[in-house]
Amino acid sequence: QVQLQESGGGSVQAGGSLRLSCAASGDTISRYSMGWFRQAPGKEREGVAAIDSDGTTAYSDSVKGRFTISRDNAEKSLYLQMNSLKPEDTAIYYCAADLFPLVVGGEIETKQIDYWGQGTQVTVSS
């Protein structure tokens, strides 16, 4: 089992950048696929970016070219570098992990993910 804790959220103006971090505790994360998901008010949770244990990545179309996911297994950490932020990126961002791949057919798997963090708020003002 892993426990996940996000940090790095905050408020930023459009065009700005933020870096989210997710610290894992418990099991080693090298075996896990990990990802970032977000949920805006009144909307369903959506996949933003995912990275499998073999390093394969996937991004939602809305963030491609602006966000970069990375992981440091030795530090048991997951990161999301967010550049060129837009007001529509405003949401609670969640870190997630699963022993099964989160990148399936080039897309982010969103079903039955076992482990979630509590979320960090990102607010982008225009």
Side-chain angles (χ1 to χ4, degrees):
Q1 290 190 350
V2 291
Q3 295 79 43
L4 305 171
Q5 179 65 60
E6 304 91 341
S7 62
S11 297
V12 64
Q13 289 194 329
S17 298
L18 284 173
R19 188 188 193 216
L20 302 184
S21 299
C22 173
S25 59
D27 199 0
T28 179
I29 68 166
S30 59
R31 302 186 297 134
Y32 288 81
S33 296
M34 302 188 75
W36 291 98
F37 295 75
R38 68 186 182 188
Q39 187 166 20
K43 295 188 177 181
E44 292 189 356
R45 188 176 295 183
E46 63 171 346
V48 174
I51 182 167
D52 279 347
S53 57
D54 64 358
T56 303
T57 59
Y59 297 88
S60 69
D61 288 343
S62 62
V63 307
K64 275 180 186 174
R66 300 189 297 123
F67 291 11
T68 302
I69 190 171
S70 61
R71 63 191 294 163
D72 185 333
N73 291 337
E75 294 294 324
K76 299 177 76 171
S77 294
L78 179 73
Y79 305 102
L80 185 68
Q81 179 66 45
M82 304 187 295
N83 299 329
S84 302
L85 282 161
K86 304 175 181 180
E88 51 263 44
D89 294 318
T90 295
I92 299 174
Y93 283 70
Y94 298 90
C95 173
D98 201 285
L99 287 172
F100 287 95
L102 292 181
V103 180
V104 179
E107 303 291 329
I108 302 169
E109 175 62 58
T110 60
K111 298 177 183 178
Q112 295 184 323
I113 296 172
D114 283 340
Y115 303 104
W116 293 90
Q118 304 230 337
T120 185
Q121 177 71 46
V122 171
T123 302
V124 184
S125 57
S126 57

